[in-house]
């Protein structure tokens, strides 16, 4: 029983430490962007406001610094935040932005992640044909990366 109490408290404490780290003026832009990415992802399941806030802040910084790949990753995070909130139209807008960047940057990992995000969204919307097409697209990208673990997870989703 104490494990269930300890873990959430530890996780929350870790997030607060990450938030405080953003105030560190000696951080490089890359370090700041990574913190925005991590915070937006870590808050996905527990706090939409914080997740979307950190994603938006990161997007602004990434855009200003012309770090398009990180901008795309943060757009994906923002899309997932809206997906978790069941705001599928808004999620789709951010997924599209992330996908455009992933294709321009020719980044297979981000293309796979966005395809997977679209697939999960279509699955939740009871659109199995669209979901299957996106799952297959994600698998093809993960095959290029030889990421067997993700391929297995996607095959489980398909099943």
């Amino acid at each position: 029983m104490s494990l269930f109490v300890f873990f959430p408290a530890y996780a929350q404490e870790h997030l607060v430490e990450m938030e405080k780290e953003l105030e560190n003026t000696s951080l490089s832009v890359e370090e700041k962007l990574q913190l925005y990415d991590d915070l937006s992802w870590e808050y996905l399941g527990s706090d939409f406001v914080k997740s979307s806030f950190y994603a938006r802040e990161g997007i602004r910084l990434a855009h200003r610094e012309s770090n398009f790949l990180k901008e795309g990753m943060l757009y994906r995070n923002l899309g997932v935040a809206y997906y978790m909130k069941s705001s599928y139209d808004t999620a789709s807008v951010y997924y599209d932005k992330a996908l455009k960047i992933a294709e321009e940057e020719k980044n297979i990992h981000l293309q796979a992640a966005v395809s997977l995000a679209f697939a999960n969204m279509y699955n939740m919307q009871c659109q199995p044909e669209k979901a299957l097409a996106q799952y297959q697209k994600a698998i093809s990208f993960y095959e290029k990366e030889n990421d067997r673990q993700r391929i297995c997870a996607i095959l489980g989703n398909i099943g």
Side-chain angles (χ1 to χ4, degrees), residues 11-80:
Q12 185 61 36
E13 187 176 303
H14 177 68
L15 291 172
V16 169
E17 288 174 16
M18 289 170 62
E19 289 173 328
K20 286 181 183 175
E21 184 64 22
L22 277 172
E23 298 169 13
N24 183 343
T25 56
S26 66
L27 287 178
S28 70
V29 170
E30 291 301 315
E31 290 169 323
K32 243 185 176 170
L33 285 171
Q34 190 58 53
L35 280 169
Y36 284 130
D37 186 17
D38 292 343
L39 283 164
S40 68
W41 191 257
E42 293 296 324
Y43 274 119
L44 277 173
S46 62
D47 192 328
F48 169 80
V49 172
K50 284 189 176 186
S51 177
S52 60
F53 170 78
Y54 288 117
R56 290 177 200 283
E57 289 298 307
I59 288 166
R60 277 193 270 283
L61 179 58
H63 185 77
R64 188 173 65 236
E65 297 293 322
S66 299
N67 187 329
F68 302 115
L69 183 56
K70 188 58 84 173
E71 184 179 356
M73 294 169 83
L74 287 156
Y75 273 128
R76 191 275 316 247
N77 290 4
L78 189 53
V80 174

Side-chain angles (χ1 to χ4, degrees), residues 46-129:
S46 62
D47 192 328
F48 169 80
V49 172
K50 284 189 176 186
S51 177
S52 60
F53 170 78
Y54 288 117
R56 290 177 200 283
E57 289 298 307
I59 288 166
R60 277 193 270 283
L61 179 58
H63 185 77
R64 188 173 65 236
E65 297 293 322
S66 299
N67 187 329
F68 302 115
L69 183 56
K70 188 58 84 173
E71 184 179 356
M73 294 169 83
L74 287 156
Y75 273 128
R76 191 275 316 247
N77 290 4
L78 189 53
V80 174
Y82 278 97
Y83 159 81
M84 300 280 283
K85 193 179 165 190
S86 300
S87 297
Y88 302 128
D89 289 343
T90 306
S92 185
V93 168
Y94 292 117
Y95 292 160
D96 283 335
K97 289 179 183 228
L99 185 58
K100 182 180 180 206
I101 291 170
E103 290 170 346
E104 288 171 357
E105 295 292 308
K106 296 177 177 56
N107 187 282
I108 292 171
H109 184 74
L110 184 55
Q111 287 175 328
V114 175
S115 295
L116 182 56
F118 267 121
N120 290 334
M121 182 182 74
Y122 291 139
N123 191 38
M124 290 302 294
Q125 293 177 301
C126 297
Q127 298 182 48
E129 294 84 12

